[in-house]
Amino acid sequence: SKFSRSRFQPKRLTEKERSEARDAWNRFIAFTVHFMEEEVGDRQAVGEFVYDALTSSDSEKKQLATIQQVVPSVSMQKFRDAQKLVARLRQFDVSEEPSAPSGQTRRELMATTKEFGLTGSEYGGGETVEYPLDV
């Protein structure tokens, strides 16, 4: 599968950043397995489906509809939680480099992520976070 953990661990990362990338990957995969509510396929296939849906250029409404085709019962809270985890994981995606908008460094992106509470340390802390979907 092209959706392996190595896709999110570019060689240019420091050891600390590699650890953060590994943590983001593990949290995302664990969440997507929980998110799908039942055994739909292997973990990487499930993760790739959710990641691709949420990183597409489609509107948020269309992204939700795409996921609901597979998981009709997905709640808006789970959808929002998945968005947060995808935003965190996407920072490490080597297939999207450079992911930072022009003039913005990875360090600034990390600071922005922490400022908005997108650490992925919990799946539903009740906080409302608004951020652009198309980074």
PDB file of all heavy atoms in Angstrom, residues 25-54:
ATOM      1  N   TRP A  25       0.797   9.315  12.982  1.00  0.00           N
ATOM      2  CA  TRP A  25       0.376   8.159  12.170  1.00  0.00           C
ATOM      3  C   TRP A  25      -0.376   7.143  13.025  1.00  0.00           C
ATOM      4  O   TRP A  25      -1.466   6.703  12.669  1.00  0.00           O
ATOM      5  CB  TRP A  25       1.605   7.517  11.528  1.00  0.00           C
ATOM      6  CG  TRP A  25       1.398   6.111  11.069  1.00  0.00           C
ATOM      7  CD1 TRP A  25       1.738   4.972  11.730  1.00  0.00           C
ATOM      8  CD2 TRP A  25       0.782   5.669   9.847  1.00  0.00           C
ATOM      9  NE1 TRP A  25       1.384   3.864  11.001  1.00  0.00           N
ATOM     10  CE2 TRP A  25       0.789   4.271   9.841  1.00  0.00           C
ATOM     11  CE3 TRP A  25       0.221   6.338   8.765  1.00  0.00           C
ATOM     12  CZ2 TRP A  25       0.269   3.518   8.799  1.00  0.00           C
ATOM     13  CZ3 TRP A  25      -0.296   5.591   7.727  1.00  0.00           C
ATOM     14  CH2 TRP A  25      -0.273   4.201   7.747  1.00  0.00           C
ATOM     15  N   ASN A  26       0.217   6.773  14.169  1.00  0.00           N
ATOM     16  CA  ASN A  26      -0.402   5.773  15.041  1.00  0.00           C
ATOM     17  C   ASN A  26      -1.770   6.229  15.549  1.00  0.00           C
ATOM     18  O   ASN A  26      -2.719   5.439  15.572  1.00  0.00           O
ATOM     19  CB  ASN A  26       0.516   5.432  16.220  1.00  0.00           C
ATOM     20  CG  ASN A  26       1.721   4.627  15.780  1.00  0.00           C
ATOM     21  OD1 ASN A  26       1.687   3.927  14.774  1.00  0.00           O
ATOM     22  ND2 ASN A  26       2.802   4.738  16.533  1.00  0.00           N
ATOM     23  N   ARG A  27      -1.883   7.493  15.947  1.00  0.00           N
ATOM     24  CA  ARG A  27      -3.167   8.021  16.422  1.00  0.00           C
ATOM     25  C   ARG A  27      -4.201   8.015  15.300  1.00  0.00           C
ATOM     26  O   ARG A  27      -5.363   7.679  15.517  1.00  0.00           O
ATOM     27  CB  ARG A  27      -3.006   9.433  16.967  1.00  0.00           C
ATOM     28  CG  ARG A  27      -2.277   9.486  18.284  1.00  0.00           C
ATOM     29  CD  ARG A  27      -2.131  10.935  18.763  1.00  0.00           C
ATOM     30  NE  ARG A  27      -1.266  11.023  19.897  1.00  0.00           N
ATOM     31  CZ  ARG A  27      -1.634  10.811  21.148  1.00  0.00           C
ATOM     32  NH1 ARG A  27      -2.862  10.463  21.405  1.00  0.00           N
ATOM     33  NH2 ARG A  27      -0.774  10.922  22.133  1.00  0.00           N
ATOM     34  N   PHE A  28      -3.784   8.402  14.116  1.00  0.00           N
ATOM     35  CA  PHE A  28      -4.716   8.442  12.992  1.00  0.00           C
ATOM     36  C   PHE A  28      -5.213   7.043  12.642  1.00  0.00           C
ATOM     37  O   PHE A  28      -6.414   6.829  12.477  1.00  0.00           O
ATOM     38  CB  PHE A  28      -4.055   9.097  11.772  1.00  0.00           C
ATOM     39  CG  PHE A  28      -4.938   9.087  10.559  1.00  0.00           C
ATOM     40  CD1 PHE A  28      -6.044   9.913  10.491  1.00  0.00           C
ATOM     41  CD2 PHE A  28      -4.675   8.237   9.498  1.00  0.00           C
ATOM     42  CE1 PHE A  28      -6.886   9.888   9.377  1.00  0.00           C
ATOM     43  CE2 PHE A  28      -5.499   8.210   8.388  1.00  0.00           C
ATOM     44  CZ  PHE A  28      -6.602   9.048   8.331  1.00  0.00           C
ATOM     45  N   ILE A  29      -4.308   6.088  12.530  1.00  0.00           N
ATOM     46  CA  ILE A  29      -4.708   4.717  12.185  1.00  0.00           C
ATOM     47  C   ILE A  29      -5.609   4.130  13.269  1.00  0.00           C
ATOM     48  O   ILE A  29      -6.645   3.524  12.967  1.00  0.00           O
ATOM     49  CB  ILE A  29      -3.468   3.832  11.937  1.00  0.00           C
ATOM     50  CG1 ILE A  29      -2.753   4.271  10.654  1.00  0.00           C
ATOM     51  CG2 ILE A  29      -3.852   2.357  11.866  1.00  0.00           C
ATOM     52  CD1 ILE A  29      -3.567   4.137   9.379  1.00  0.00           C
ATOM     53  N   ALA A  30      -5.260   4.314  14.534  1.00  0.00           N
ATOM     54  CA  ALA A  30      -6.098   3.804  15.626  1.00  0.00           C
ATOM     55  C   ALA A  30      -7.486   4.441  15.565  1.00  0.00           C
ATOM     56  O   ALA A  30      -8.503   3.761  15.737  1.00  0.00           O
ATOM     57  CB  ALA A  30      -5.440   4.086  16.974  1.00  0.00           C
ATOM     58  N   PHE A  31      -7.523   5.743  15.313  1.00  0.00           N
ATOM     59  CA  PHE A  31      -8.809   6.427  15.249  1.00  0.00           C
ATOM     60  C   PHE A  31      -9.642   5.945  14.070  1.00  0.00           C
ATOM     61  O   PHE A  31     -10.843   5.720  14.199  1.00  0.00           O
ATOM     62  CB  PHE A  31      -8.619   7.945  15.148  1.00  0.00           C
ATOM     63  CG  PHE A  31      -9.928   8.682  15.058  1.00  0.00           C
ATOM     64  CD1 PHE A  31     -10.688   8.911  16.195  1.00  0.00           C
ATOM     65  CD2 PHE A  31     -10.408   9.117  13.832  1.00  0.00           C
ATOM     66  CE1 PHE A  31     -11.903   9.565  16.115  1.00  0.00           C
ATOM     67  CE2 PHE A  31     -11.627   9.766  13.742  1.00  0.00           C
ATOM     68  CZ  PHE A  31     -12.371   9.998  14.891  1.00  0.00           C
ATOM     69  N   THR A  32      -9.030   5.779  12.896  1.00  0.00           N
ATOM     70  CA  THR A  32      -9.812   5.382  11.729  1.00  0.00           C
ATOM     71  C   THR A  32     -10.395   3.991  11.887  1.00  0.00           C
ATOM     72  O   THR A  32     -11.518   3.735  11.436  1.00  0.00           O
ATOM     73  CB  THR A  32      -9.010   5.472  10.412  1.00  0.00           C
ATOM     74  OG1 THR A  32      -7.825   4.704  10.525  1.00  0.00           O
ATOM     75  CG2 THR A  32      -8.668   6.900  10.072  1.00  0.00           C
ATOM     76  N   VAL A  33      -9.668   3.096  12.547  1.00  0.00           N
ATOM     77  CA  VAL A  33     -10.220   1.764  12.801  1.00  0.00           C
ATOM     78  C   VAL A  33     -11.456   1.907  13.698  1.00  0.00           C
ATOM     79  O   VAL A  33     -12.500   1.316  13.433  1.00  0.00           O
ATOM     80  CB  VAL A  33      -9.156   0.833  13.424  1.00  0.00           C
ATOM     81  CG1 VAL A  33      -9.787  -0.445  13.933  1.00  0.00           C
ATOM     82  CG2 VAL A  33      -8.073   0.531  12.397  1.00  0.00           C
ATOM     83  N   HIS A  34     -11.358   2.733  14.723  1.00  0.00           N
ATOM     84  CA  HIS A  34     -12.486   3.003  15.612  1.00  0.00           C
ATOM     85  C   HIS A  34     -13.608   3.729  14.847  1.00  0.00           C
ATOM     86  O   HIS A  34     -14.785   3.435  15.001  1.00  0.00           O
ATOM     87  CB  HIS A  34     -12.006   3.853  16.798  1.00  0.00           C
ATOM     88  CG  HIS A  34     -13.086   4.439  17.620  1.00  0.00           C
ATOM     89  ND1 HIS A  34     -13.870   3.693  18.466  1.00  0.00           N
ATOM     90  CD2 HIS A  34     -13.538   5.709  17.719  1.00  0.00           C
ATOM     91  CE1 HIS A  34     -14.746   4.488  19.050  1.00  0.00           C
ATOM     92  NE2 HIS A  34     -14.561   5.703  18.617  1.00  0.00           N
ATOM     93  N   PHE A  35     -13.221   4.670  14.021  1.00  0.00           N
ATOM     94  CA  PHE A  35     -14.122   5.502  13.224  1.00  0.00           C
ATOM     95  C   PHE A  35     -15.010   4.657  12.307  1.00  0.00           C
ATOM     96  O   PHE A  35     -16.189   4.914  12.149  1.00  0.00           O
ATOM     97  CB  PHE A  35     -13.229   6.437  12.399  1.00  0.00           C
ATOM     98  CG  PHE A  35     -13.912   7.378  11.462  1.00  0.00           C
ATOM     99  CD1 PHE A  35     -14.427   8.572  11.926  1.00  0.00           C
ATOM    100  CD2 PHE A  35     -13.977   7.118  10.101  1.00  0.00           C
ATOM    101  CE1 PHE A  35     -15.005   9.477  11.060  1.00  0.00           C
ATOM    102  CE2 PHE A  35     -14.554   8.012   9.230  1.00  0.00           C
ATOM    103  CZ  PHE A  35     -15.074   9.198   9.713  1.00  0.00           C
ATOM    104  N   MET A  36     -14.442   3.631  11.716  1.00  0.00           N
ATOM    105  CA  MET A  36     -15.188   2.807  10.780  1.00  0.00           C
ATOM    106  C   MET A  36     -16.164   1.870  11.488  1.00  0.00           C
ATOM    107  O   MET A  36     -17.015   1.278  10.855  1.00  0.00           O
ATOM    108  CB  MET A  36     -14.237   2.001   9.891  1.00  0.00           C
ATOM    109  CG  MET A  36     -13.329   2.866   9.028  1.00  0.00           C
ATOM    110  SD  MET A  36     -14.185   4.048   7.995  1.00  0.00           S
ATOM    111  CE  MET A  36     -14.558   3.035   6.585  1.00  0.00           C
ATOM    112  N   GLU A  37     -16.038   1.731  12.789  1.00  0.00           N
ATOM    113  CA  GLU A  37     -16.976   1.016  13.652  1.00  0.00           C
ATOM    114  C   GLU A  37     -17.034  -0.496  13.454  1.00  0.00           C
ATOM    115  O   GLU A  37     -17.571  -1.200  14.277  1.00  0.00           O
ATOM    116  CB  GLU A  37     -18.389   1.592  13.542  1.00  0.00           C
ATOM    117  CG  GLU A  37     -18.463   3.024  14.006  1.00  0.00           C
ATOM    118  CD  GLU A  37     -19.827   3.627  13.839  1.00  0.00           C
ATOM    119  OE1 GLU A  37     -20.723   2.989  13.242  1.00  0.00           O
ATOM    120  OE2 GLU A  37     -20.018   4.757  14.310  1.00  0.00           O
ATOM    121  N   GLU A  38     -16.556  -0.988  12.371  1.00  0.00           N
ATOM    122  CA  GLU A  38     -16.557  -2.435  12.147  1.00  0.00           C
ATOM    123  C   GLU A  38     -15.409  -2.764  11.213  1.00  0.00           C
ATOM    124  O   GLU A  38     -14.833  -1.892  10.590  1.00  0.00           O
ATOM    125  CB  GLU A  38     -17.885  -2.891  11.552  1.00  0.00           C
ATOM    126  CG  GLU A  38     -18.258  -2.183  10.263  1.00  0.00           C
ATOM    127  CD  GLU A  38     -19.664  -2.527   9.800  1.00  0.00           C
ATOM    128  OE1 GLU A  38     -20.614  -2.193  10.504  1.00  0.00           O
ATOM    129  OE2 GLU A  38     -19.771  -3.144   8.743  1.00  0.00           O
ATOM    130  N   GLU A  39     -15.100  -4.019  11.105  1.00  0.00           N
ATOM    131  CA  GLU A  39     -13.990  -4.442  10.255  1.00  0.00           C
ATOM    132  C   GLU A  39     -14.374  -4.285   8.794  1.00  0.00           C
ATOM    133  O   GLU A  39     -15.236  -4.977   8.290  1.00  0.00           O
ATOM    134  CB  GLU A  39     -13.634  -5.903  10.563  1.00  0.00           C
ATOM    135  CG  GLU A  39     -12.276  -6.312  10.050  1.00  0.00           C
ATOM    136  CD  GLU A  39     -11.145  -5.496  10.656  1.00  0.00           C
ATOM    137  OE1 GLU A  39     -11.151  -5.223  11.849  1.00  0.00           O
ATOM    138  OE2 GLU A  39     -10.234  -5.140   9.885  1.00  0.00           O
ATOM    139  N   VAL A  40     -13.777  -3.297   8.135  1.00  0.00           N
ATOM    140  CA  VAL A  40     -14.089  -3.024   6.736  1.00  0.00           C
ATOM    141  C   VAL A  40     -12.957  -3.484   5.832  1.00  0.00           C
ATOM    142  O   VAL A  40     -13.159  -3.789   4.679  1.00  0.00           O
ATOM    143  CB  VAL A  40     -14.351  -1.505   6.537  1.00  0.00           C
ATOM    144  CG1 VAL A  40     -14.611  -1.182   5.091  1.00  0.00           C
ATOM    145  CG2 VAL A  40     -15.519  -1.063   7.402  1.00  0.00           C
ATOM    146  N   GLY A  41     -11.772  -3.549   6.354  1.00  0.00           N
ATOM    147  CA  GLY A  41     -10.604  -3.937   5.564  1.00  0.00           C
ATOM    148  C   GLY A  41      -9.371  -3.799   6.423  1.00  0.00           C
ATOM    149  O   GLY A  41      -9.464  -3.637   7.631  1.00  0.00           O
ATOM    150  N   ASP A  42      -8.218  -3.845   5.797  1.00  0.00           N
ATOM    151  CA  ASP A  42      -7.010  -3.693   6.600  1.00  0.00           C
ATOM    152  C   ASP A  42      -6.847  -2.245   7.054  1.00  0.00           C
ATOM    153  O   ASP A  42      -7.406  -1.330   6.473  1.00  0.00           O
ATOM    154  CB  ASP A  42      -5.781  -4.212   5.842  1.00  0.00           C
ATOM    155  CG  ASP A  42      -5.375  -3.327   4.687  1.00  0.00           C
ATOM    156  OD1 ASP A  42      -4.871  -2.213   4.956  1.00  0.00           O
ATOM    157  OD2 ASP A  42      -5.543  -3.738   3.530  1.00  0.00           O
ATOM    158  N   ARG A  43      -6.085  -2.062   8.107  1.00  0.00           N
ATOM    159  CA  ARG A  43      -5.930  -0.744   8.735  1.00  0.00           C
ATOM    160  C   ARG A  43      -5.427   0.316   7.759  1.00  0.00           C
ATOM    161  O   ARG A  43      -5.896   1.442   7.759  1.00  0.00           O
ATOM    162  CB  ARG A  43      -4.961  -0.829   9.917  1.00  0.00           C
ATOM    163  CG  ARG A  43      -5.470  -1.668  11.037  1.00  0.00           C
ATOM    164  CD  ARG A  43      -4.459  -1.889  12.153  1.00  0.00           C
ATOM    165  NE  ARG A  43      -3.100  -1.514  11.859  1.00  0.00           N
ATOM    166  CZ  ARG A  43      -2.273  -0.964  12.720  1.00  0.00           C
ATOM    167  NH1 ARG A  43      -2.645  -0.733  13.947  1.00  0.00           N
ATOM    168  NH2 ARG A  43      -1.040  -0.658  12.374  1.00  0.00           N
ATOM    169  N   GLN A  44      -4.455  -0.048   6.934  1.00  0.00           N
ATOM    170  CA  GLN A  44      -3.910   0.936   5.999  1.00  0.00           C
ATOM    171  C   GLN A  44      -4.928   1.323   4.934  1.00  0.00           C
ATOM    172  O   GLN A  44      -5.017   2.485   4.553  1.00  0.00           O
ATOM    173  CB  GLN A  44      -2.627   0.418   5.358  1.00  0.00           C
ATOM    174  CG  GLN A  44      -1.467   0.410   6.337  1.00  0.00           C
ATOM    175  CD  GLN A  44      -0.168  -0.030   5.684  1.00  0.00           C
ATOM    176  OE1 GLN A  44      -0.158  -0.532   4.566  1.00  0.00           O
ATOM    177  NE2 GLN A  44       0.932   0.145   6.387  1.00  0.00           N
ATOM    178  N   ALA A  45      -5.715   0.373   4.467  1.00  0.00           N
ATOM    179  CA  ALA A  45      -6.738   0.681   3.457  1.00  0.00           C
ATOM    180  C   ALA A  45      -7.798   1.602   4.039  1.00  0.00           C
ATOM    181  O   ALA A  45      -8.229   2.561   3.381  1.00  0.00           O
ATOM    182  CB  ALA A  45      -7.372  -0.607   2.937  1.00  0.00           C
ATOM    183  N   VAL A  46      -8.202   1.325   5.273  1.00  0.00           N
ATOM    184  CA  VAL A  46      -9.186   2.174   5.943  1.00  0.00           C
ATOM    185  C   VAL A  46      -8.604   3.573   6.137  1.00  0.00           C
ATOM    186  O   VAL A  46      -9.255   4.581   5.839  1.00  0.00           O
ATOM    187  CB  VAL A  46      -9.600   1.557   7.303  1.00  0.00           C
ATOM    188  CG1 VAL A  46     -10.416   2.532   8.124  1.00  0.00           C
ATOM    189  CG2 VAL A  46     -10.371   0.267   7.088  1.00  0.00           C
ATOM    190  N   GLY A  47      -7.375   3.642   6.626  1.00  0.00           N
ATOM    191  CA  GLY A  47      -6.708   4.927   6.831  1.00  0.00           C
ATOM    192  C   GLY A  47      -6.569   5.710   5.544  1.00  0.00           C
ATOM    193  O   GLY A  47      -6.817   6.911   5.501  1.00  0.00           O
ATOM    194  N   GLU A  48      -6.192   5.010   4.475  1.00  0.00           N
ATOM    195  CA  GLU A  48      -6.022   5.678   3.188  1.00  0.00           C
ATOM    196  C   GLU A  48      -7.346   6.237   2.683  1.00  0.00           C
ATOM    197  O   GLU A  48      -7.402   7.358   2.179  1.00  0.00           O
ATOM    198  CB  GLU A  48      -5.444   4.707   2.164  1.00  0.00           C
ATOM    199  CG  GLU A  48      -5.149   5.358   0.829  1.00  0.00           C
ATOM    200  CD  GLU A  48      -4.401   4.427  -0.112  1.00  0.00           C
ATOM    201  OE1 GLU A  48      -4.499   3.187   0.042  1.00  0.00           O
ATOM    202  OE2 GLU A  48      -3.716   4.943  -1.001  1.00  0.00           O
ATOM    203  N   PHE A  49      -8.428   5.489   2.841  1.00  0.00           N
ATOM    204  CA  PHE A  49      -9.746   5.945   2.401  1.00  0.00           C
ATOM    205  C   PHE A  49     -10.139   7.242   3.119  1.00  0.00           C
ATOM    206  O   PHE A  49     -10.510   8.230   2.497  1.00  0.00           O
ATOM    207  CB  PHE A  49     -10.806   4.861   2.655  1.00  0.00           C
ATOM    208  CG  PHE A  49     -12.208   5.365   2.490  1.00  0.00           C
ATOM    209  CD1 PHE A  49     -12.722   5.588   1.224  1.00  0.00           C
ATOM    210  CD2 PHE A  49     -13.002   5.635   3.589  1.00  0.00           C
ATOM    211  CE1 PHE A  49     -14.019   6.075   1.058  1.00  0.00           C
ATOM    212  CE2 PHE A  49     -14.288   6.123   3.441  1.00  0.00           C
ATOM    213  CZ  PHE A  49     -14.802   6.341   2.172  1.00  0.00           C
ATOM    214  N   VAL A  50     -10.012   7.246   4.455  1.00  0.00           N
ATOM    215  CA  VAL A  50     -10.394   8.426   5.241  1.00  0.00           C
ATOM    216  C   VAL A  50      -9.463   9.592   4.923  1.00  0.00           C
ATOM    217  O   VAL A  50      -9.912  10.718   4.707  1.00  0.00           O
ATOM    218  CB  VAL A  50     -10.396   8.107   6.754  1.00  0.00           C
ATOM    219  CG1 VAL A  50     -10.640   9.364   7.584  1.00  0.00           C
ATOM    220  CG2 VAL A  50     -11.453   7.050   7.067  1.00  0.00           C
ATOM    221  N   TYR A  51      -8.152   9.330   4.860  1.00  0.00           N
ATOM    222  CA  TYR A  51      -7.173  10.384   4.575  1.00  0.00           C
ATOM    223  C   TYR A  51      -7.434  11.008   3.203  1.00  0.00           C
ATOM    224  O   TYR A  51      -7.468  12.233   3.062  1.00  0.00           O
ATOM    225  CB  TYR A  51      -5.758   9.807   4.651  1.00  0.00           C
ATOM    226  CG  TYR A  51      -4.666  10.849   4.531  1.00  0.00           C
ATOM    227  CD1 TYR A  51      -4.243  11.557   5.650  1.00  0.00           C
ATOM    228  CD2 TYR A  51      -4.055  11.114   3.307  1.00  0.00           C
ATOM    229  CE1 TYR A  51      -3.240  12.508   5.560  1.00  0.00           C
ATOM    230  CE2 TYR A  51      -3.052  12.057   3.211  1.00  0.00           C
ATOM    231  CZ  TYR A  51      -2.643  12.757   4.328  1.00  0.00           C
ATOM    232  OH  TYR A  51      -1.659  13.698   4.226  1.00  0.00           O
ATOM    233  N   ASP A  52      -7.635  10.163   2.194  1.00  0.00           N
ATOM    234  CA  ASP A  52      -7.889  10.675   0.843  1.00  0.00           C
ATOM    235  C   ASP A  52      -9.173  11.492   0.793  1.00  0.00           C
ATOM    236  O   ASP A  52      -9.226  12.536   0.138  1.00  0.00           O
ATOM    237  CB  ASP A  52      -7.948   9.536  -0.174  1.00  0.00           C
ATOM    238  CG  ASP A  52      -6.580   8.942  -0.463  1.00  0.00           C
ATOM    239  OD1 ASP A  52      -5.548   9.537  -0.061  1.00  0.00           O
ATOM    240  OD2 ASP A  52      -6.536   7.866  -1.095  1.00  0.00           O
ATOM    241  N   ALA A  53     -10.210  11.022   1.475  1.00  0.00           N
ATOM    242  CA  ALA A  53     -11.475  11.762   1.488  1.00  0.00           C
ATOM    243  C   ALA A  53     -11.291  13.138   2.122  1.00  0.00           C
ATOM    244  O   ALA A  53     -11.803  14.145   1.604  1.00  0.00           O
ATOM    245  CB  ALA A  53     -12.551  10.980   2.243  1.00  0.00           C
ATOM    246  N   LEU A  54     -10.540  13.205   3.200  1.00  0.00           N
ATOM    247  CA  LEU A  54     -10.399  14.462   3.933  1.00  0.00           C
ATOM    248  C   LEU A  54      -9.295  15.371   3.404  1.00  0.00           C
ATOM    249  O   LEU A  54      -9.209  16.524   3.822  1.00  0.00           O
ATOM    250  CB  LEU A  54     -10.176  14.180   5.423  1.00  0.00           C
ATOM    251  CG  LEU A  54     -11.373  13.537   6.127  1.00  0.00           C
ATOM    252  CD1 LEU A  54     -11.061  13.268   7.588  1.00  0.00           C
ATOM    253  CD2 LEU A  54     -12.617  14.395   5.995  1.00  0.00           C
TER     254      LEU A  54
END
